[in-house]
Amino acid sequence: MHDAPPDRESRNVLKLKTVFELMESRLDHPPTLRELSASIGMSPKYFCRFFKLATHQTPMEYLSYYRIEHAWRWPPRTRM
């Protein structure tokens, strides 16, 4: 029995997951727009549209926000 091919929404979720993982793995040296779009086989222009429709932010807005949130939480705070 063959599995049915994933639907468009599932493929989009997998693409976003790939992009988010790349962003997270490169916080110290953020990927460029070209690298992000290439990671999921899209042109930079189409990738920007795809990402904004999915997240309501541009890729660079999201990456900046994520980096600030990560910096704010690191290093972990300890109680004295």
Side-chain angles (χ1 to χ4, degrees):
M1 181 173 180
H2 295 282
D3 292 330
D7 63 4
R8 174 178 241 155
E9 186 174 334
S10 296
R11 288 190 309 267
N12 287 345
V13 168
L14 292 174
K15 288 178 181 180
L16 285 170
K17 184 175 185 254
T18 299
V19 169
F20 293 143
E21 287 171 351
L22 179 57
M23 288 179 171
E24 186 177 324
S25 72
R26 302 251 317 262
L27 288 178
D28 58 329
H29 184 65
T32 64
L33 181 59
R34 189 173 305 276
E35 290 172 319
L36 292 169
S37 62
S39 74
I40 58 172
M42 291 183 181
S43 71
K45 183 177 179 178
Y46 185 74
F47 171 71
C48 285
R49 183 173 181 266
F50 165 79
F51 193 91
K52 185 143 187 170
L53 283 171
T55 66
H56 303 286
Q57 294 179 307
T58 68
M60 296 304 120
E61 287 171 340
Y62 179 85
L63 185 56
S64 293
Y65 173 80
Y66 187 83
R67 291 180 76 205
I68 290 167
E69 282 294 307
H70 187 267
W72 185 80
R73 292 184 178 145
W74 190 259
R77 295 190 168 99
T78 58
R79 293 180 187 231
M80 295 190 163

